[in-house]
Amino acid sequence: MSETAVSGVKQCFQLKSASVSMTALELYFFDEQEFESTLRDKISQAPGFFKDIPMIVSLEKYEGLSSELDFFKIIGSCRRHNIHVIGVRGGNDDQRRLARGASLALLPGGSQRDRDIDTRPAAENTGTADSPTPARVETRAEPAPAKIINQPVRSGQQVYAPDGDLIILAPVQAGAEVLAAGNVHVYGPLRGRALAGIHGAEHARVFCQSLEAELVSIAGHYKISEDLQDNGWKTAVQIQLRDDLLVVTPLEKA
């Protein structure tokens, strides 16, 4: 087959950079029994949040010995609870060698950001004096329309807005779950679980007329009911992410 014919064949895939919401398990030391017990306790606080999520193990604050770190036991314990460990962030050479032996991805430290993936030859990327690199023209997609729900979201129901904001003009009952790629607005009591920025949008917020939630999450960072009751409970608030912490602010002062 000629080179021209080959070049005309459509590629079966392309590589794209992606921003994916990811939960990090920040490990300080490892004891198999205590790990399992703590994991069960965390999951019991928000079972719907942890089901089938991808997770990375962060070793940036790990203080135990490398010889105590058994990634196969960590993976097995998480898998029994439908949590999928996919990689390790940080760690020293010995720890990363153990992680590689467990077929885990090795990720840079938390200060690193995703970068564009470009597999074109260098000459094609940089251009030459005779053929300068063409200017990039940025196009901005139209924002996705908000999904509007007029009825109460009852226990056991899940309402999902995969592309934009979710606006609910009624209460969200305990046991219900509302999720959005953008912001979540609840014009009534929020008693169930609300997850905003589910694709990793850290600027997303949760707004509600009465904060009574079982769980609130933004871009994978979450607080459960016990934590939320310390600030703004049963009042109109907005919740946003600042420096990896969820901050609750009264709406009248926003």
Side-chain angles (χ1 to χ4, degrees):
M1 185 178 291
S2 68
E3 182 177 347
T4 303
V6 172
S7 64
V9 176
K10 184 177 181 180
Q11 294 180 347
C12 65
F13 71 88
Q14 289 188 0
L15 298 178
K16 300 284 187 177
S17 63
S19 177
V20 180
S21 177
M22 196 82 66
T23 298
L25 188 155
E26 194 170 67
L27 193 64
Y28 307 128
F29 66 93
F30 180 69
D31 175 84
E32 184 178 5
Q33 292 184 343
E34 183 163 350
F35 182 89
E36 177 74 21
S37 174
T38 303
L39 186 61
R40 282 199 305 267
D41 180 60
K42 293 291 186 183
I43 293 172
S44 68
Q45 296 172 0
F49 178 80
F50 289 98
K51 184 174 175 57
D52 291 326
I53 64 167
M55 178 178 284
I56 62 173
V57 177
S58 173
L59 299 177
E60 294 167 306
K61 297 184 180 180
Y62 185 76
E63 298 177 353
L65 300 175
S66 295
S67 59
E68 299 171 346
L69 194 51
D70 190 329
F71 286 109
F72 291 102
K73 291 181 178 178
I74 293 175
I75 294 169
S77 183
C78 290
R79 189 170 294 166
R80 286 193 292 274
H81 297 283
N82 297 314
I83 297 172
H84 308 283
V85 180
I86 65 170
V88 168
R89 185 175 69 190
N92 58 34
D93 291 341
D94 288 340
Q95 292 162 352
R96 293 173 75 82
R97 176 179 53 79
L98 292 170
R100 188 182 295 111
S103 299
L104 295 174
L106 302 180
L107 307 177
S111 61
Q112 299 292 324
R113 294 293 183 186
D114 293 343
R115 296 179 180 179
D116 292 336
I117 299 174
D118 196 338
T119 58
R120 293 176 299 169
E124 182 179 345
N125 293 341
T126 58
T128 64
D130 296 328
S131 58
T133 303
R136 290 187 178 183
V137 178
E138 294 188 0
T139 58
R140 184 168 298 177
E142 290 294 323
K147 183 173 185 177
I148 301 176
I149 303 297
N150 296 305
Q151 303 297 324
V153 184
R154 304 193 183 280
S155 179
Q157 289 184 313
Q158 183 187 80
V159 179
Y160 179 37
D163 300 313
D165 288 4
L166 176 60
I167 300 174
I168 300 172
L169 305 176
V172 176
Q173 303 293 3
E177 188 171 70
V178 294
L179 309 90
N183 304 308
V184 173
H185 306 255
V186 180
Y187 292 93
L190 170 57
R191 301 189 179 102
R193 297 182 293 273
L195 293 81
I198 57 172
H199 300 318
E202 297 184 349
H203 61 273
R205 301 187 185 190
V206 174
F207 303 86
C208 63
Q209 291 299 312
S210 180
L211 177 61
E212 305 171 38
E214 297 168 333
L215 177 144
V216 171
S217 169
I218 297 176
H221 302 263
Y222 72 96
K223 282 188 176 184
I224 60 174
S225 176
E226 288 79 359
D227 302 322
L228 293 168
Q229 291 181 29
D230 295 335
N231 187 15
W233 193 246
K234 292 189 177 182
T235 64
V237 300
Q238 66 166 322
I239 304 170
Q240 58 188 307
L241 191 61
R242 293 179 185 168
D243 298 325
D244 292 336
L245 295 174
L246 292 188
V247 178
V248 181
T249 308
L251 276 179
E252 59 268 25
K253 296 181 181 179

